[in-house]
Amino acid sequence: MITKRIIPCLDVRDGRVVKGVNFTGLADVDSPVALARRYSECGADELVFYDITASAQDRALFTDILRQTAREVFIPLTVGGGIRSLDDFDRVLKCGADKVSVNSGAIADPELIARAAQRYGSQCVVLSADVKRVDGALHVFARGGRVDTGLEALAWLRQGEALGAGEIVLNSIDTDGVKQGFDLEMLALVCQTVRVPVIASGGAGCIDDFIALFQTVPGVDAGLAASIFHFGEVSIPALKSALRANGIPARL
């Protein structure tokens, strides 16, 4: 049985890890280098590094802090933020990333997904989508969750998979940072829509939220969270032990 992955997320702004609620009110947390070292040592299955203001500021992702972070990580590292071209893919991969996450850049140029998959393989291309309910519909947002694209989320994710994305990260803006549980309804719809691995993001507040995630939406492959790990509210070894105690496969 395939184990469920636990993935801490480093939202990086100006070289520091930050965290907010519903994509706003960002507060300083710690150095990404120190956090990456800690997560690599404590049993995280993978790590995500997002330069969260690169797209909004129309600039390339900071590579100096990424190189320092990658040197501390001995687990798969996914990197995103300001990815608009194959040159951006190449740059972050050379900095130590294993996979590259695209969001706003893919919305602006969907064929970027296909070009990247052809050059680097689908396993390297992660399509991240920031999704929010708007008048009962699921809309994709761009530029760090600031701009409503009007795209219907399920159709967009289906298109991304067809173009060659090898993995989907679903970020629910509605539940982000609220710590009241993952957006199970939205995740179930996405798992019914695509066949590639789906990573749940947004809403984790305690161990029980991960148990509910994997029991309620078994099609989800991984749970991603930030603040509960950053501030020590949930330890990854304790989380994985609890998953296994509840019949959910996890790598200890």
Side-chain angles (χ1 to χ4, degrees), residues 77-228:
L77 174 64
T78 298
V79 176
I83 305 297
R84 304 181 190 86
S85 66
L86 290 184
D87 286 343
D88 291 328
F89 268 80
D90 191 61
R91 185 161 44 83
V92 299
L93 289 169
K94 287 178 177 176
C95 286
D98 298 286
K99 295 184 277 189
V100 181
S101 176
V102 290
N103 189 330
S104 296
I107 293 169
D109 176 16
E111 288 300 319
L112 173 61
I113 299 171
R115 295 194 301 272
Q118 183 175 20
R119 177 175 294 187
Y120 302 107
S122 290
Q123 80 288 341
C124 183
V125 183
V126 179
L127 177 58
S128 179
D130 299 327
V131 180
K132 182 178 175 64
R133 292 170 179 81
V134 178
D135 297 327
L138 300 179
H139 283 203
V140 177
F141 280 64
R143 302 175 72 84
R146 295 170 176 83
V147 177
D148 184 354
T149 67
L151 286 172
E152 197 281 321
L154 300 181
W156 168 239
L157 295 176
R158 193 180 301 115
Q159 180 184 1
E161 178 185 33
L163 287 168
E167 196 165 64
I168 301 291
V169 176
L170 179 72
N171 307 306
S172 172
I173 297 176
D174 294 323
T175 61
D176 177 75
V178 179
K179 298 185 181 180
Q180 295 297 312
F182 291 96
D183 198 325
L184 302 180
E185 177 187 38
M186 189 185 293
L187 286 160
L189 290 171
V190 171
C191 287
Q192 293 164 14
T193 300
V194 300
R195 290 172 293 178
V196 295
V198 174
I199 298 172
S201 174
C206 63
I207 286 175
D208 285 346
D209 290 335
F210 286 89
I211 295 171
L213 168 68
F214 295 127
Q215 289 183 338
T216 306
V217 194
V220 167
D221 291 82
L224 181 150
S227 60
I228 62 167

Side-chain angles (χ1 to χ4, degrees), residues 12-17 28 30-33 49 51 59 62 65:
V12 180
R13 180 183 67 178
D14 300 329
R16 297 284 295 179
V17 175
D28 183 81
D30 203 344
S31 155
V33 179
F49 178 112
D51 184 336
R59 60 167 172 77
F62 290 125
I65 194 70

